[in-house]
């Protein structure tokens, strides 16, 4: 189902019938891009906002290129299938055949060839001449020549795909017009980028030139680097050819760095994700990390985590120029925190000592002494720790505001002018230089040593925050706080060898060497930016338009004041689901009638913890697949294990808890266990996943359909008010609320809780045909709705119902669940199908478009997973006396036996018919 929406002069091709919320989003985006205004758009999760973002932004970009500009970028074979093959197409086919038929050569032992980007050339009348002047190397000149001929014959204009015609960002075309902006599409995580590219693949814009910027952790294919944790350092060592070795994958990056070759030769014609690029890099023995960066030059849309766009250090290292571009930030509910972190930097004493020692070594070895010595003295200045004051048990801290720290630096000889010299010194020590030296008694050119990349990263981070502090006559100084903190940590320490009575060194036994733990003092120095507008100041004045979107931007009042950006276009879209598909209720008391208020004073009591456990047990008897977000996961779990309540819950559900820390593989394994518990039903009814707000589960995961039918939130997830950074931020907002229009500290503090809560609630309803229950456990919602309900997302707060007793809430929930399961049996009429918002979660099978989720359980026991109305009726009574399910199990076993008999009978007849046919 495809449609074309005409927004004035911009035509948008859409792959399915658009929801009203999608139409509203696309209209707002086009207005913002046409007028160069910034947009703040909230559209509930599951309403297809990602598809609306892609189609509207790329449709607008296509209109800027002209009616046929982007079409010319699509492979010719797609446009001329019904026409006679042209000379260009025959040349292209001949070129591809020569590449595919040529034997693969091993370039590992070929001499290193330096790669370079040509300077901007003056546009001339023929594309052929441009190509000849670009590069005359054997392989690359052949590739460029064929591509130029391909486009030159097709069009009378100079070639636009050859690297020789690529100009730097911000350049103008041959008519003197401004170059069409690129679209930088940022989202929170690499996994969400994969989901976005899958959405792009479904559109007519799927072959637009693109790239994905990511870290070496996700894209490195060198087997000597990828398995290690310090990939960045190992990669840079190979690039610098230390120890006489270099990266053979880096020297093969030319195989993947051209958009046309990537599509036509290597088969990545439609939108691709990181995994596909990495697989191709392994196949071609080409570096996918640097290939993605090379592809940025010709890309129309660039995907990346949005901290790549906000962090000045990452922008510099990735060569990202946002001037005049379009900036789309999806899942932007955490953008304020990310912006503050991007302009902040924290290091510990060990980091500073490491940098100081490296610089000491350079100075003592008389290597660029004039540049290294000022940097070393700067590190000595920061190691001053004389100003300390007690703060809490076994901890100490000292906090300065930005003006005070600049005054301290001034007294130590560091001023704005001196800092400019320090920056020049830092640039100088990074430059590669060769000098004459003696090697095995002979004079040869040797490379001058440089400080390691780990030390360089620390210096760059420090200089980044100091650059903000000194910028424009120190106008951002009041936005910073510098905290020197002392704490203690237990660390493993290997004991030293000690002499015995005879004077010989004796090494302790292996067991003794491993079990020694030492209490160690830890000093950290933090430069905290309290104003996210500092990081946004680099963007708001240079980009053409900023589009912030998320399913949970409410309350939206803080974004303009916090980010220092005027969002002239704002939208709070409605959800695409019917009200009957979601149950939203507040519960203020438990099964025993005890009040449930999850403030710190109440949450620490055993009465509260036991009542919450009983409440969760009853919900598990009513709903099959449950997500539960709690504030004190470890403490509640320990209490429930001690009281035996945990065992009761495990009799009902497969219980899984979100891990604290751990690697990516551990988390993926945990999720797979949860999905398997739902997909392959056993004697227990579904699964329960217990997680924390602001964790990995609540922030970006998709629990479509049977992956979650209920979300339970216990309490309101306010940040830790005793955290020093939270305390300083609240005081900062109180200080500047009148002069800068910031929210007061208490209001800012509440908004942080609402955003985390809205994110957790958004895990459940993921498309138009989905259904689920949102259960908010806390009596504050009912007692003070004006304060605690108004912070919820628009679509949630419109559906909230307060229940007087726990029994009433559970009875209402049982009726809702029974009704939805009956609706699932009858196929829904879904002209605007759920395919309009594709489910990125592939763990559960999905039926044909518009028919909702497929049954996830074994076909031999269809009743073992979804609850029958009889079971639901028993579940509703479980809030009072708990009845025996023995009779119910017997009926289920009888039905399962009948189904198994029919299944075997059909199989036997099918086998007989097959045998006869073979005979």
């Amino acid at each position: 189902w495809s449609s074309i929406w005409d927004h004035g002069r911009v035509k948008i091709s859409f792959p399915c019938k658009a929801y009203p919320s999608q139409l509203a989003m696309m209209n707002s985006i086009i207005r913002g891009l046409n007028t160069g205004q910034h947009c703040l758009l909230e559209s509930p999760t599951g309403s297809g906002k990602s598809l609306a973002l892609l189609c509207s932004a790329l449709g607008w970009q296509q209109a800027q290129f002209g009616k046929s500009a982007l079409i010319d970028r699509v492979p010719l074979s797609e446009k001329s299938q019904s026409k006679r093959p042209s000379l260009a197409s025959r040349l292209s086919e001949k070129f591809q055949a020569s590449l595919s038929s040529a034997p693969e050569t091993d370039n590992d032992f070929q001499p290193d060839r330096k790669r370079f980007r040509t300077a901007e050339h003056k546009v001339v009348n023929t594309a052929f001449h441009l190509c000849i002047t670009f590069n005359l190397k054997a392989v690359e000149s052949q590739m460029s020549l064929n591509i130029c001929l391909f486009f030159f014959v097709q069009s009378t204009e100079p070639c636009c795909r050859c690297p020789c015609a690529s100009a730097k960002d911000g350049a103008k075309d041959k008519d003197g017009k401004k170059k069409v902006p690129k679209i930088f599409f940022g989202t929170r995580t690499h996994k969400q980028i994969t989901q976005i590219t899958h959405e792009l693949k479904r559109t007519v814009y799927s072959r637009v030139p693109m790239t994905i910027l990511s870290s070496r952790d996700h894209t490195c294919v060198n087997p000597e680097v990828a398995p290690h944790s310090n990939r960045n350092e190992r990669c840079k060592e190979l690039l610098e050819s230390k120890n006489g070795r270099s990266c053979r994958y880096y020297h093969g990056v030319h195989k993947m760095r051209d958009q046309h070759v990537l599509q036509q030769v290597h088969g990545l014609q439609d939108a691709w994700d990181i995994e596909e690029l990495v697989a191709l890099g392994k196949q071609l023995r080409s570096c996918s990390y640097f290939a993605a960066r090379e592809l940025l030059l010709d890309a129309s849309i660039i995907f990346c985590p949005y901290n790549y766009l906000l962090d000045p250090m990452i922008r510099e290292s990735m060569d990202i120029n946002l001037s005049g571009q379009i900036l789309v930030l999806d899942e932007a509910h955490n953008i304020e925190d990310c912006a503050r972190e991007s302009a902040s930097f924290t290091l510990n004493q060990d980091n500073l000592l490491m940098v100081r020692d490296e610089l000491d070594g350079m100075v003592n070895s008389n290597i660029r002494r004039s540049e290294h010595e000022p940097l070393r003295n700067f590190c000595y200045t920061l190691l001053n720790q004389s100003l300390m004051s007690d703060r809490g048990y076994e901890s100490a801290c000292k906090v300065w505001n930005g003006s005070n720290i600049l005054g301290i630096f001034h007294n130590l000889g560091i001023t704005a002018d001196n800092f400019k010299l320090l920056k020049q010194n830092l640039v100088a020590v990074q430059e590669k230089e060769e000098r004459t030296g003696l090697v095995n008694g002979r004079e040869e050119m040797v490379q001058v040593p440089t400080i390691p990349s780990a030390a360089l990263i620390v210096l760059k981070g420090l200089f980044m925050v100091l650059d903000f502090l000194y910028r424009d006559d120190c106008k951002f100084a009041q936005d910073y706080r510098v905290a020197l903190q002392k704490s203690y940590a237990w660390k493993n320490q290997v004991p030293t060898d000690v002499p015995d009575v005879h004077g010989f060194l004796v090494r302790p036994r292996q067991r003794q060497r491993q079990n020694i733990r030492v209490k160690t003092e830890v000093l950290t120095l933090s430069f905290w930016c309290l104003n996210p507008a500092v990081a946004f100041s680099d963007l708001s004045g240079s980009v053409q338009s900023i589009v912030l979107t998320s399913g949970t931007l409410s309350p939206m009042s803080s974004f303009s004041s916090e980010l220092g950006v005027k969002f002239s276009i704002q939208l709070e879209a409605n959800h695409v689901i019917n009200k009957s598909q979601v149950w939203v209720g507040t519960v203020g008391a438990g099964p025993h009638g005890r009040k449930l208020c999850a403030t710190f004073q109440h949450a620490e009591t055993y009465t509260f913890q036991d009542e919450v456990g009983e409440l969760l047990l009853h919900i598990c008897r009513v709903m099959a697949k449950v997500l539960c977000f709690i504030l004190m996961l470890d403490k509640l779990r320990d209490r429930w294990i001690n009281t035996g309540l945990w065992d009761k819950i495990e009799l009902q559900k497969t219980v899984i808890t979100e891990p604290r820390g751990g690697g990516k593989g551990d988390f993926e394994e945990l999720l797979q266990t949860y999905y398997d518990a739902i997909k392959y039903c056993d004697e227990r009814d579904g699964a329960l996943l217990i997680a924390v707000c602001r964790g990995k589960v609540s922030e970006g995961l998709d629990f479509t359909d049977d992956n979650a039918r209920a979300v339970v939130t216990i309490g309101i997830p306010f940040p830790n008010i005793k955290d020093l950074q939270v305390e300083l931020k609240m005081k900062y907002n109180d200080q500047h609320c009148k002069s800068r229009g910031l929210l007061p500290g208490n209001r800012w503090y509440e908004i942080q809780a609402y955003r985390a809560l809205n994110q957790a609630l958004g895990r459940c309803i993921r498309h138009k045909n989905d259904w689920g229950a949102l259960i908010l456990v806390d009596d504050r919602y009912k007692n003070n709705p004006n304060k605690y309900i108004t912070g919820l997302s628009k679509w949630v707060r419109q559906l909230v119902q307060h229940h007087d007793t726990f029994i009433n809430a559970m009875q209402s929930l049982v009726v809702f669940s029974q009704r939805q399961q009956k609706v699932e049996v009858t196929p829904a009429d879904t002209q605007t199908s759920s395919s309009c918002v594709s489910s990125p979660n592939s763990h559960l099978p999905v039926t044909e478009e518009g028919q909702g989720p497929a049954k996830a359980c074994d076909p031999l026991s269809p009743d073992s997973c979804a609850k029958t109305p009889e079971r639901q009726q028993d579940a509703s009574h479980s809030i009072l006396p708990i009845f025996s399910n023995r009779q119910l199990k017997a009926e289920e076993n009888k039905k399962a036996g009948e189904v198994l008999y029919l299944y075997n009978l059909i199989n036997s007849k099918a086998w007989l018919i097959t045998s006869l046919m073979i005979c």
Side-chain angles (χ1 to χ4, degrees), residues 50-65:
S50 298
L51 202 59
L53 273 173
L54 291 169
C55 292
S56 56
L58 290 171
W60 179 87
Q61 189 184 57
Q62 179 174 349
Q64 307 308 305
F65 276 114

Side-chain angles (χ1 to χ4, degrees), residues 292 494 745:
V494 177

